[in-house]
Amino acid sequence: MIKHLTKMLDLSKEDIITILDLADSMKSQQKKGNAPQPLKGKTLAMIFQKASTRTRVSFETGMYQLGGQALFLSASDLQMGRGEPIEDTARVLGRYVDGIMIRTFKQQDVEDLAKWSGIPVINGLTDYDHPCQILADLMTIREYKGKLEGLKLAYIGDGNNMCNSLVIGCLTVGMKISVAVPKGHEPHQDVINFAKSYSDAFELVQDPSKAAIQADVLATDVWASMGQEAEAAARMKTFANYQINAELMNKANPDAIVLHCLPAHRGEEITSDIFEAHTNVIFDEAENRLHAQKAVMALLMQ
Ligand code: CP
Ligand code: NVA
């Protein structure tokens, strides 16, 4: 098993299945009220350089349910925000706590924390990756479809952190993924390179209706991610046709499910009617962040 969760590329298929199996059993134990507490006495530091609802609350609650505690550390309140190097912050936190979750801009910061802290580091979102979300997404797909292998996911929108992580995650577990993005907004080059060895299972197109054909799962994400606020108006125009709507749903399989990592912008990347018709899956997906991350913390921090 891995020592850190810095990016989806860290995970083998076996790692992902181990995490999902543990997440499933933790979810059912939690519902029955007999959840184990393998992290008694342990502390998770949570560093946030960007806003969050789900990541913050699910990690903090998850750590508590596992018997430990979590510290919310806003980067602007840490000395890091005044220029203390990440390798020093890492070496200090490594003396106090048992694991670090970080949400930040640069992927390199997560890698540096992992290198210098001496304790498990979990990526809670960077501009490049969102591995915790993809574990919850795969867990949700498996719950609704009973399997992962052979299913087709269509991702419609920006080739951003969600897109990068979904491509790696889907291909690693044996799913097919078709990505529709506007020219110039393709996924990261590392992701394209990874996908080259899965040529039959990966498709990169510009036409959303092509990507959606016979999809079992449709997924999208905001047109302007955190940190791209200044580009938001221009992006509204670029992405105008990259929307999950009733017309696009007609191209997919009739029993296709819809995923959205949230927050959602109705009328932009997804219409209100399609969002509301798929809230059972979308809010199970949000709930599964808690269970998937508890499994990750239990596996890394015990
Ligand atoms: N999906 C997700 O990561 O949500 P938050 O930004 O609210 O944490
Ligand atoms: N791509 C989005 C995901 C939010 C969970 C962002 O980075 O803001």
Side-chain angles (χ1 to χ4, degrees):
M1 190 64 196
I2 48 162
K3 291 200 173 74
H4 307 280
L5 178 56
T6 65
K7 53 187 174 300
M8 277 313 286
L9 273 170
D10 291 348
L11 297 171
S12 65
K13 181 176 183 180
E14 292 67 36
D15 291 331
I16 294 177
I17 301 303
T18 300
I19 294 166
L20 299 189
D21 288 349
L22 183 58
D24 284 348
S25 88
M26 284 184 154
K27 182 172 183 174
S28 83
Q29 284 169 324
Q30 189 69 34
K31 305 247 178 234
K32 286 185 203 135
N34 62 352
Q37 297 201 315
L39 298 186
K40 251 195 187 123
K42 302 224 170 173
T43 301
L44 176 78
M46 308 189 299
I47 303 174
F48 281 92
Q49 264 179 331
K50 293 178 176 174
S52 169
T53 297
R54 282 144 288 270
T55 304
R56 178 181 177 179
V57 177
S58 56
F59 266 105
E60 190 158 341
T61 306
M63 197 56 197
Y64 174 73
Q65 289 179 1
L66 291 169
Q69 62 164 351
L71 302 175
F72 172 75
L73 305 170
S74 162
S76 58
D77 296 334
L78 293 173
Q79 295 289 6
M80 237 174 91
R82 300 176 56 246
E84 184 168 17
I86 195 115
E87 58 265 38
D88 293 356
T89 306
R91 282 178 285 190
V92 171
L93 291 179
R95 305 281 179 124
Y96 298 143
V97 302
D98 306 282
I100 304 171
M101 190 285 299
I102 179 165
R103 166 166 286 197
T104 188
F105 295 88
K106 288 190 283 184
Q107 179 65 23
Q108 191 57 46
D109 286 352
V110 183
E111 310 286 345
D112 288 344
L113 260 189
K115 178 174 168 196
W116 290 98
S117 66
I119 54 174
V121 169
I122 301 170
N123 180 342
L125 182 145
T126 58
D127 292 345
Y128 170 69
D129 219 308
H130 199 2
C132 296
Q133 182 68 54
I134 274 47
L135 290 169
D137 290 5
L138 295 173
M139 179 178 175
T140 309
I141 296 168
R142 208 169 69 154
E143 278 179 351
Y144 277 85
K145 297 288 181 187
K147 62 173 187 176
L148 293 171
E149 207 139 339
L151 295 176
K152 175 181 172 179
L153 185 144
Y155 175 86
I156 313 296
D158 187 16
N160 60 13
N161 43 14
M162 276 302 298
C163 179
N164 289 336
S165 321
L166 274 171
V167 172
I168 307 277
C170 289
L171 294 178
T172 302
V173 299
M175 289 175 63
K176 295 178 210 141
I177 178 162
S178 189
V179 169
V181 293
K183 198 167 168 30
H185 294 274
E186 290 80 12
H188 194 280
Q189 193 56 45
D190 291 355
V191 175
I192 304 277
N193 293 344
F194 174 87
K196 277 186 187 146
S197 48
Y198 294 85
S199 54
D200 292 347
F202 177 67
E203 184 183 41
L204 180 61
V205 296
Q206 285 172 20
D207 179 1
S209 61
K210 191 159 182 245
I213 292 169
Q214 291 191 327
D216 302 291
V217 185
L218 286 107
T220 188
D221 185 18
V222 291
W223 290 342
S225 286
M226 289 181 279
Q228 296 175 329
E229 289 76 10
E231 299 167 32
R235 283 174 164 267
M236 293 304 126
K237 290 190 187 126
T238 308
F239 288 93
N241 295 324
Y242 291 80
Q243 183 186 62
I244 299 190
N245 53 34
E247 199 186 327
L248 198 73
M249 290 303 296
N250 282 335
K251 311 274 179 200
N253 282 339
D255 60 351
I257 59 169
V258 174
L259 295 179
H260 195 308
C261 62
L262 303 174
H265 292 76
R266 293 163 177 79
E268 295 179 19
E269 75 276 2
I270 190 164
T271 54
S272 188
D273 58 332
I274 298 299
F275 183 87
E276 290 305 330
H278 293 270
T279 44
N280 51 348
V281 179
I282 291 169
F283 290 104
D284 278 350
E285 177 190 5
E287 178 187 333
N288 285 340
R289 291 290 304 275
L290 171 69
H291 309 297
Q293 289 159 196
K294 281 171 69 182
V296 169
M297 289 191 284
L299 288 164
L300 294 182
M301 291 172 64
Q302 260 183 92

